[in-house]
Every structure is written in C-alpha cells, then in structure tokens.
C-alpha cells in the first residue's frame, strides 16, 4: 500500500481508482529521478499508453481535459473564459460518450474546467459513479461546495477538487468578488472534515506572485488541508487581455525558486505551469500528455491554446487525435531545446502560426477570437525578456533532470516516427530544435 507524507503525516493512498492516487502519481511524474521511474509510474501507465498509441495509430494522452459548460457563477477579472458565451455546454450523453471512448483508449484521468464545472454538479456525480476506471479532477471556484457534495465525494472516492484562490482575502476578492475568499476557505474546511485530499489552484501574476510563493500562504493552505497545488502563470489570451498582469522574468524566477524550495522542504507537490517545463519535458499538448475539449466540442492542444481543426460532435476522439493540426503540432515538439521556453503560445508563437496556417485550424476563442499574429505581438516581447533568464536557470538544472529530458525527447521522436509518420507533416520533425540543453 503506497504512502505519502502530507503536512508531516503519513497518509495511505487507497487503490486505484481513487482521487488520492492522482496526488501520488503527480508526485512521481513531476519528481521522477530517472526515465525508468516515469515508465513504471502507476502500474506502468506510460508503457500502457505507448501500446495503446501503437494499437490505435494516435498519441494517447495521459489526461483528458473537458469543459462541461461555459456557464459560471463568477466573472473574474482577467479570466479569458469570461469572453466565452455562457450558453455552451456538452450534454450528459456527449460527456458520457467521450469518457467511454477515453476509457477504451486506456486514459485514466479526466480533468474538468470551464466555466464553473460544478454548475453541472449532478451530471458530474453521475459520471463519476458510472466511470469507475477514471479519476476525476475539477478546477472550481468552490462556491458550490457543500456538505452534501462532500459526502458524495467521500462515498464515490474518484472525484478531486482544485479550489481556486488568488492569495489572501484582498487579492482573491479583488479578482473574484467580495466574500469569495471566505467561501473558498469554508469549502476547504468541509472537505478536510471528510478527509478528502483536495488541491488548491491559483493564477499568479505581477500583482500577487509574492503572496502566492510565500511560506505564510502555503503553510496556511496546508493547514487548511490542501494536499497539493496547481499554479498557472497569467497568459494574456484574448484581445482584451491585461498585459500589466504578465510577470517579469524576475517575478517568474522568484516563483520558480520559492516553489521548488518549499516543495523540497515540505514534500508538497506544487505543479507550476510554465515554470515546470523541465519536469514535463517541454510542451505535452495535442495528445503528447493531455488534450482539451471545450464546451463547444472543439478539440484543442491544451486549455490555453485556442485553435482547432476538429470537433468531437463530428468525429471520434481517436480521429481528433489524428487531425492534421495535432500531427503538425506534435511534430514540432519539443518547440525549443530549453523546456523552460518551450510553450508555443508564450515562446514560439511564430511556429504556432505556421502550424495553424498549414493545417487550416481556426481560432476557438469565442467572443474575442484572435489570430496567432495578434497573440505573438503580445507574447514575443515577454519571451525575449525571459530567454536569457531561462538559459541561465537551465544550465544549473540537476543532471538527472537533463538525462530524463534527453531520454523523453528520444522516446517522443520514436513515437512520432511510428505514429505520426504519414503525410508531409511528418517531415516537420526534421526542423524541430536540437534536442540538447544549453551549455
């Protein structure tokens, strides 16, 4: 029986499928010491993914990201989801169908966002009860968490919540609305009373990065019962995005160092997009690690990359994973030799523009669609400022991280030769960056 140390206590991890298994797997995935650790993770899930990929002639991702609805009970400042029409949603029948397809491929993790996924609380609980081979995780603002939901979560076992919080009361309420901080903390108390191992989720930006990365704030969340945390750096997506919220290189490095240090000292799993590029082996979108389906059914490389040439209402999940856009996207991975600068949105938008144009993909950013050229105008200056810092940081990365990265990119290249081998897009891999670390 596996164990994890959580807030100084040894916690038993129940057998799969159980929401606490997600914490255990995340720890081993992000902090693996060798390629072998990654391959043998979770009863050799990586090996099973490879066999399934070869069988179905498509990249089978580790996790499926779904937006059951665009509806939300908040309107947070700086949230690109607020641009979307709130009427879009995937029916229960379509969600059930997608999950049936994903389980047939061997996908064992399903994350849900939106909108506010708990606006579909009853449907989600039904899905958790039916799809017992899947671990579910919901990115939620926490306002709809109550004792009845917590009791159902304790009974079902395979549902986890990632509660959104922006810092202390002032930071959270300023972005999400008055009184939201207290309601999120109340939700944490309810979950902790049932011994449910929830996570916190936060978007850090130029205004709250110091708070998010402080010992005081992280200690507080651990005391409230958080088992792990997901951090998302603010990305200026959408035509009306506020560029003043984008972190400077110094602010981003501050978060990277403090999160890594806190994780080492306390054994807490803290996953920081995009500062953990060296732990995820670069971009893992478009099926290499995960795939996103929005509430309109558009199949996207990730939740932040709003371009697609496939819709789940028109084709199967396997067919979407084989789409020209996804094949070209994967053949460009890794987008940069330095995984700290490997996000196509933030670091190589020109390459993304080339892929979108060549594959016929279109913008799926409802309400405020933007071309890749418009996105690049915002993110290229951020990338140019970050690159010298990223190069310096990467030179000091531990040797085992570099070895694992080298092994993974070799494995990815092999999979691309075996699976994404048909059509002219397979030639894109010849033009991908040299797979080595800065010296």
């Amino acid at each position: 029986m596996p164990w994890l140390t959580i807030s100084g206590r040894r916690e038993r991890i129940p057998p799969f499928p159980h929401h606490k298994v997600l914490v255990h797997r995340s720890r081993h995935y992000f902090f693996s010491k060798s390629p072998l650790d990654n391959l043998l993770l979770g009863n050799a899930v990586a090996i099973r993914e490879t066999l399934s990929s070869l069988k179905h002639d498509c990249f089978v991702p580790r996790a499926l990201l779904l937006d059951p609805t665009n509806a939300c009970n908040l309107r947070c400042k700086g949230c690109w989801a607020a641009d979307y029409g709130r009427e879009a949603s995937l029916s229960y029948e379509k969600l059930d169908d997608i999950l049936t397809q994903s389980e047939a491929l061997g996908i064992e993790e399903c994350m849900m966002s939106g909108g506010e996924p708990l606006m579909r609380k009853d449907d989600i609980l039904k899905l958790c009860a039916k799809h017992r081979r899947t671990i579910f995780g919901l990115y939620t603002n926490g306002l709809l968490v109550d004792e009845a939901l917590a009791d159902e979560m304790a009974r079902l076992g395979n549902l986890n919540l990632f509660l959104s919080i922006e810092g202390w009361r002032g930071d959270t309420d300023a972005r999400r609305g008055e009184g939201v901080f207290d309601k999120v903390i109340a939700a944490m108390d309810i979950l902790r009373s049932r011994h449910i191992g929830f996570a916190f989720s936060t978007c850090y930006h130029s205004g709250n990065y110091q708070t998010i990365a402080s010992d005081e704030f992280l200690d507080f969340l651990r005391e409230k019962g958080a088992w792990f945390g997901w951090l998302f750096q603010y990305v200026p997506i959408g035509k009306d995005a506020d560029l003043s919220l984008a972190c400077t290189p110094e602010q981003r490095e501050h978060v990277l160092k403090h999160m890594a240090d806190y994780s080492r000292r306390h054994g807490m799993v803290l996953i920081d997009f995009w500062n953990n590029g060296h732990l995820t082996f670069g971009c893992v979108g478009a099926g290499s690690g995960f795939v996103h389906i929005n509430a309109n059914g558009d199949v996207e490389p990730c939740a932040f990359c709003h371009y697609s040439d496939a819709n789940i209402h028109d084709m199967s999940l396997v067919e979407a994973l084989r789409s020209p856009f996804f094949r070209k996207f994967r053949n460009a991975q890794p987008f940069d030799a330095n995984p700290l600068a490997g996000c196509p949105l933030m670091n190589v938008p020109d390459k993304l523009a080339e892929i979108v144009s060549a594959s016929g993909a279109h913008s799926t950013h409802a309400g405020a669609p933007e071309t890749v050229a418009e996105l690049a105008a915002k993110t290229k200056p951020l990338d140019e400022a970050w690159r010298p810092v990223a190069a310096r940081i990467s030179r000091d990365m531990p040797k085992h991280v570099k070895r694992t990265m080298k092994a993974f990119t070799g494995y990815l290249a092999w999979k691309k030769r075996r699976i994404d081998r048909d059509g002219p897009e397979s030639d894109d891999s010849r033009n991908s960056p040299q797979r080595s670390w800065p010296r």
Side-chain angles (χ1 to χ4, degrees):
M1 183 70 68
W3 296 79
L4 278 180
T5 300
I6 305 293
S7 296
R9 302 185 305 273
R10 276 172 57 84
E11 297 280 358
R12 182 175 65 87
I13 306 299
F16 178 89
H18 191 276
H19 74 274
K20 293 175 182 176
V21 173
L22 181 61
V23 190
H24 189 258
R25 286 188 178 181
S26 296
R27 179 175 181 80
H28 283 270
Y29 175 79
F30 285 95
F31 301 106
S32 60
K33 296 295 184 182
S34 71
L36 184 62
D37 286 347
N38 190 272
L39 284 175
L40 298 180
L41 169 69
N43 297 322
V45 64
I47 294 175
R48 288 185 281 119
E49 284 171 7
T50 299
L51 294 176
S52 182
S53 297
L54 295 172
K55 177 182 177 180
H56 297 282
D57 194 32
C58 69
F59 270 54
V60 173
R62 176 72 49 89
L64 176 69
L65 282 68
L66 283 176
D67 292 350
T69 181
N70 280 344
C72 188
N73 51 352
L74 292 178
R75 197 172 186 89
C76 304
K77 296 177 182 178
C79 176
W80 48 258
D83 295 337
Y84 283 46
R86 299 195 171 202
E87 68 283 351
S89 65
L90 296 170
S91 68
Y92 171 81
E93 291 74 21
K94 177 52 68 174
L95 291 168
D96 180 36
D97 174 56
I98 294 170
L99 288 165
T100 299
Q101 292 184 57
S102 70
E103 286 182 334
L105 291 174
I107 301 171
E108 298 176 341
E109 299 171 12
C110 175
M111 307 296 128
M112 292 187 176
S113 57
E116 169 51 52
L118 283 179
M119 300 286 281
R120 302 284 301 280
K121 183 190 304 184
D122 292 342
D123 283 343
I124 290 172
L125 291 175
K126 284 172 59 180
L127 292 169
C128 291
K130 181 175 182 179
H131 295 275
R132 303 301 296 161
R133 292 163 53 192
T134 299
I135 302 171
F136 292 84
L138 272 60
Y139 291 95
T140 173
N141 57 43
L143 271 63
L144 298 178
V145 175
D146 54 24
E147 300 207 2
L149 173 65
D151 288 340
E152 277 298 285
M153 290 178 63
R155 182 182 70 83
L156 290 168
N158 62 335
L159 175 60
N160 205 335
L161 299 184
F162 310 140
L163 299 174
S164 297
I165 191 167
E166 310 298 327
W168 300 115
R169 182 178 287 104
D171 288 320
T172 299
D173 288 1
R175 183 171 184 229
R176 295 183 169 268
E178 186 176 353
V180 170
F181 177 84
D182 291 333
K183 293 175 182 178
V184 174
I185 299 306
M188 292 182 179
D189 291 338
I190 290 172
L191 296 174
R192 186 183 184 191
S193 71
R194 272 72 171 178
H195 202 60
I196 295 171
F198 66 89
F200 73 90
S201 172
T202 188
C203 172
Y204 67 91
H205 50 77
S206 60
N208 70 348
Y209 76 97
Q210 288 183 309
T211 296
I212 295 303
S214 68
D215 279 16
E216 294 78 10
F217 183 64
L218 295 171
D219 286 346
F220 171 75
L221 294 176
R222 285 200 304 135
E223 291 167 3
K224 282 295 174 181
W227 279 40
F228 66 122
W230 293 87
L231 292 89
F232 299 91
Q233 184 186 164
Y234 175 76
V235 180
I237 296 174
K239 289 186 176 180
D240 297 326
D242 186 353
L243 277 171
S244 70
L245 294 176
C247 286
T248 66
E250 294 76 21
Q251 292 167 347
R252 180 172 174 177
E253 184 178 11
H254 175 89
V255 176
L256 187 157
K257 288 184 175 179
H258 280 72
M259 287 299 172
D261 178 64
Y262 192 92
S263 183
R264 281 192 298 268
R265 286 187 284 119
H266 297 283
M268 189 177 192
V269 180
L270 296 171
I271 302 163
D272 178 5
F273 289 82
W274 286 239
N275 278 342
N276 281 165
H278 60 295
L279 302 181
T280 61
F281 322 117
C283 171
V284 288
S288 295
F290 53 79
V291 62
H292 179 245
I293 303 175
N294 68 22
N296 288 309
D298 298 309
V299 185
E300 303 168 333
C302 80
F304 297 89
C305 188
H306 298 166
Y307 303 94
S308 176
D309 67 343
N311 191 285
I312 201 65
H313 293 296
D314 303 325
M315 62 186 68
S316 69
L317 180 58
V318 166
E319 289 171 328
L321 290 167
R322 294 173 182 162
S323 82
F325 177 47
F326 270 30
R327 286 185 184 269
K328 287 184 176 293
F329 193 100
R330 288 191 297 262
N331 273 290
Q333 293 170 332
F335 285 96
D336 195 271
N338 185 343
L340 290 174
C343 173
L345 293 169
M346 294 293 286
N347 303 114
V348 284
D350 288 342
K351 181 63 178 177
L352 178 61
E354 177 186 325
I355 296 168
V356 169
S357 175
S359 62
H362 62 277
S363 172
T364 58
H365 195 100
E370 64 179 350
T371 66
V372 186
E374 290 170 326
L375 174 69
K378 295 182 293 186
T379 60
K380 285 186 74 172
L382 299 174
D383 171 63
E384 291 168 358
W386 169 247
R387 277 189 177 273
V389 179
R392 171 174 52 78
I393 296 171
S394 68
R395 285 195 294 267
D396 298 329
M397 290 292 178
K399 290 183 178 179
H400 76 265
V401 174
K402 298 180 182 181
R403 286 196 301 267
T404 303
M405 177 70 188
K406 182 178 180 180
F408 181 82
T409 51
Y411 160 72
L412 180 63
W414 175 82
K415 280 183 71 176
K416 288 191 291 187
R417 289 194 299 270
R418 291 296 303 271
I419 297 170
D420 288 341
R421 61 189 180 277
D422 299 323
E425 59 267 20
S426 62
D427 295 334
D428 292 350
S429 59
R430 300 172 188 171
N431 300 321
S432 59
Q434 183 181 356
R435 293 174 176 83
S436 61
W437 284 71
R439 295 177 181 271

